[in-house]
Amino acid sequence: QGQLVESGGGLVQPGGSLRLSCAAAGFTLDPYAISWVRQAPGKEREVLVCISSSDLTTYWFDSVRGRFTISRDNANNRVYLQMNSLKTEHTAVYYCATDGYSGCSDGELDFWGQGTQVTVSS
């Protein structure tokens, strides 16, 4: 059975950058739209941004537009989230997820990775 595996999280100072990676094990990511979702302590999950199988990007959370960039590398079976100019309020667990479709929509995401912790602190 396939799984999504996130990596790249860690501790970073305000103003710093991180690149998160979402790797697929046991299946290929090519046909699927992939979303990045975060959950901050005590808050609900927020779907931030999605990339379709044809490389179209949809931002669901406007405040990350221009700060976070999603991309995919089908040759390496990965989707990335480049995060720049990080703030303390970006501290959260970040997940990649898919609903199994090729396009980005507001449908329910039902296949998730385990998440990677991002902590922005001085």
Side-chain angles (χ1 to χ4, degrees):
Q1 187 171 353
Q3 58 179 338
L4 293 172
V5 181
E6 301 93 336
S7 62
L11 174 64
V12 62
Q13 292 187 342
S17 297
L18 280 175
R19 187 176 78 157
L20 306 183
S21 174
C22 172
F27 69 104
T28 59
L29 285 176
D30 297 24
Y32 305 112
I34 302 296
S35 295
W36 282 98
V37 182
R38 73 181 174 200
Q39 186 165 25
K43 296 188 177 181
E44 294 185 353
R45 286 180 175 177
E46 299 171 324
V47 183
L48 302 177
V49 61
C50 172
I51 188 165
S52 72
S53 64
S54 56
D55 262 357
L56 296 176
T57 297
T58 301
Y59 284 94
W60 298 114
F61 209 78
D62 276 348
S63 69
V64 302
R65 188 189 299 267
R67 189 186 302 272
F68 292 2
T69 303
I70 192 170
S71 62
R72 63 191 309 151
D73 179 354
N74 289 335
N76 288 301
N77 213 23
R78 291 175 183 265
V79 171
Y80 299 101
L81 184 67
Q82 177 69 42
M83 305 189 296
N84 298 327
S85 302
L86 286 164
K87 300 180 178 182
T88 55
E89 55 260 42
H90 296 138
T91 294
V93 178
Y94 286 73
Y95 301 87
C96 59
T98 183
D99 60 4
Y101 292 94
S102 61
C104 296
S105 72
D106 59 359
E108 182 179 357
L109 299 169
D110 54 11
F111 190 66
W112 294 74
Q114 84 289 348
T116 185
Q117 175 70 47
V118 171
T119 302
V120 185
S121 175
S122 56

